[in-house]
């Protein structure tokens, strides 16, 4: 994981959650603590801050961005996450830069651009970094992201050498730009392709549309490909389709509101990205939407898609279809309002 380049970064009491075993050891120490700082509003940081607050600890959640997950998440989806985290006792210190860690034998405070925050421990949740030193030393070509460059069969530039996981970069399905540091499911699929091809098969790993999802406070959030924030930053044109449905029949116990936002190409209306938040069913919808985008599905396709209606597991009107129909209706209204040039 990325390490803060500030004074005190080597003090005991700074924790980097690398695996389950490390988390289990840290869990034993929490009963002795009252206040913890979480640095980095990454997916891991959001999960850590929310769960530590739920456990009853005072949590200072520190990040330079204007909202959590600001590199990929849209502010309208981040808003309910903020509210949920604050209800759990998390103090959001956004727009705040870490300048150092105070303490002698152990960390006792985080020094920031907004002042000093005392703590019993710090959990650092910054970006994953590719461990490509061995490959570089062996003369294997690295890509622009710092990850190992591989082809569609996970072959490196060295004869007879394949690579997979966080250490490699792969193309994004929409932009074809190289990206790295994806999820465990991506690493697993890449590893299968690399292993089969090393054993003599001929499998191809497709460009990724990146379905993702996570529990953030009391909400589940997710998405695929890109959202509005990233589309605007990259100059990708899009039309928007938004809607709200329910995860089950409205009268059935446990039904939750499902918010869907879809981005589509202005001309073809092919879906190119989206973000969702709500309760149950977010994961499955993001998986489906990433696959649909990969296959070139349009707003028209989604507006009239088939869906299961069964009160305990599915509402009469699928939230994805509601969003797509709303988007098409908005486009029709816009067309009707636009005067035709003589």
């Amino acid at each position: 994981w990325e390490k803060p380049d500030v004074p005190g970064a080597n003090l005991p009491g700074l924790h980097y959650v690398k695996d389950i075993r490390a988390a289990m050891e840290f869990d034993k120490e929490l009963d002795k603590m009252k206040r913890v700082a979480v640095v980095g509003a990454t997916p891991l940081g959001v999960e850590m801050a929310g769960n530590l607050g739920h456990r009853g600890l005072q949590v200072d959640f520190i990040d330079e961005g204007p909202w959590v997950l600001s590199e990929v998440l849209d502010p309208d989806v981040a808003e309910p996450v903020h509210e949920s985290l604050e209800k759990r006792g998390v103090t959001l210190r956004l727009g705040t830069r870490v300048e150092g860690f105070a303490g002698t034998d152990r960390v006792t405070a985080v020094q920031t651009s907004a002042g000093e925050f005392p703590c019993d421990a710090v959990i650092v949740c910054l970006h994953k970094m590719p461990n490509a030193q061995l490959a570089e030393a062996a003369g294997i070509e690295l890509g622009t992201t710092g990850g190992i460059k591989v082809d569609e069969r996970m072959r490196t530039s060295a004869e007879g050498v394949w690579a997979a996981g966080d250490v490699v970069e792969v193309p994004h399905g929409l932009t074809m730009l190289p990206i790295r540091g994806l999820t465990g499911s991506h690493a697993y699929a890449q590893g299968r392709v690399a292993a089969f091809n090393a054993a003599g098969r001929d499998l191809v790993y497709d460009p990724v549309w990146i379905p993702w999802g996570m529990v953030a406070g009391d909400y589940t959030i997710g998405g695929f490909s890109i959202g509005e924030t990233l589309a605007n930053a990259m100059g990708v044109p899009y039309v928007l389709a938004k809607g709200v449905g329910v995860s089950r029949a409205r009268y059935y116990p446990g039904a939750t509101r499902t918010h869907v936002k879809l981005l589509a190409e202005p001309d073809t209306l092919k879906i190119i990205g989206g973000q969702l938040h709500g309760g149950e069913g977010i994961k499955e919808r993001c998986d489906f939407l990433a696959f649909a985008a990969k296959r070139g599905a349009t707003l028209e396709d989604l507006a009239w898609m088939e869906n299961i209606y069964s009160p305990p597991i599915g509402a009469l009107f699928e939230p994805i279809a509601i969003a797509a129909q709303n988007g098409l209706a908005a486009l029709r209204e816009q067309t009707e309002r636009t005067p035709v040039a003589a």
Side-chain angles (χ1 to χ4, degrees):
W1 293 93
E2 181 184 359
K3 189 174 183 179
D5 185 17
V6 296
N10 293 318
L11 280 170
L14 270 73
H15 296 266
Y16 296 82
V17 184
K18 298 180 179 179
D19 51 43
I20 294 175
R21 185 175 297 277
M24 292 172 66
E25 291 301 317
F26 180 62
D27 180 69
K28 299 174 185 176
E29 302 179 28
L30 288 177
D31 291 335
K32 306 172 188 176
M33 299 181 185
K34 293 183 179 179
R35 187 165 182 169
V36 175
V38 176
V39 175
T42 60
L44 179 59
V46 171
E47 291 176 340
M48 279 289 175
N51 288 323
L52 289 170
H54 184 66
R55 186 157 172 162
L57 292 162
Q58 298 179 54
V59 181
D60 290 300
F61 195 12
I62 305 166
D63 190 85
E64 290 191 50
W67 59 83
V68 299
L69 302 163
S70 58
E71 293 180 357
V72 295
L73 194 65
D74 295 338
D76 56 329
V77 183
E79 185 177 348
V81 176
H82 289 183
E83 294 174 1
S84 179
L85 290 175
E86 289 171 339
K87 286 179 182 177
R88 291 189 173 203
V90 176
T91 302
L92 300 175
R93 311 284 187 181
L94 300 173
T96 302
R97 183 179 66 257
V98 172
E99 298 179 341
F101 300 98
T104 51
D105 299 327
R106 183 180 175 84
V107 66
T108 57
V110 183
Q111 299 162 330
T112 78
S113 57
E116 187 169 288
F117 305 119
C119 61
D120 298 312
V122 177
I123 303 179
V124 180
C125 301
L126 299 179
H127 300 93
K128 292 186 288 186
M129 306 298 290
N131 187 5
Q133 291 89 345
L134 179 61
E136 187 175 21
I140 292 174
E141 185 179 358
L142 303 186
T144 56
T145 69
I148 297 172
K149 197 170 184 178
V150 294
D151 67 9
E152 61 185 6
R153 289 170 173 79
M154 312 309 295
R155 290 181 299 213
T156 71
S157 61
E159 182 69 26
V161 179
W162 290 259
D166 287 346
V167 75
V168 308
E169 62 178 34
V170 294
H172 190 289
L174 175 64
T175 65
M176 297 306 289
L177 294 173
I179 55 176
R180 60 165 178 79
L182 302 175
T183 68
S185 62
H186 291 93
Y188 180 74
Q190 292 166 14
R192 284 172 58 95
V193 171
F196 277 124
N197 289 337
R201 297 273 292 274
D202 187 31
L203 297 184
V204 168
Y205 186 77
D206 292 334
V208 293
W209 287 83
I210 326 171
W212 64 272
M214 58 177 290
V215 174
D218 296 319
Y219 287 88
T220 302
I221 60 175
F224 71 101
S225 187
I226 60 174
E228 286 189 272
T229 297
L230 200 50
N232 290 329
M234 297 172 66
V236 176
Y238 63 90
V239 295
L240 203 59
K242 300 175 71 173
V244 182
V246 286
S247 61
R248 310 178 183 183
R250 294 184 184 277
Y251 55 80
Y252 200 91
T256 56
R257 291 167 67 86
T258 302
H259 299 252
V260 178
K261 175 168 59 173
L262 302 172
L263 281 65
E265 289 181 344
D267 297 329
T268 67
L269 298 186
K270 289 182 179 179
I271 57 170
I272 60 173
Q275 294 189 354
L276 295 76
H277 68 92
E280 60 191 1
I282 297 297
K283 182 264 184 199
E284 293 81 2
R285 288 182 172 89
C286 292
D287 285 343
F288 163 74
L289 286 167
F291 183 78
K294 181 178 179 179
R295 297 302 180 192
T298 67
L299 288 182
E300 288 279 1
D301 295 327
L302 297 180
W304 309 109
M305 62 181 280
E306 295 180 274
N307 67 277
I308 295 169
Y309 171 48
S310 176
I313 61 172
L316 182 61
F317 298 111
E318 165 55 41
I320 291 173
I322 293 173
Q325 290 181 19
N326 288 347
L328 293 173
L331 288 172
R332 285 194 298 271
E333 291 177 8
Q334 183 178 351
T335 301
E336 292 169 358
R337 290 196 304 267
T338 303
V340 179

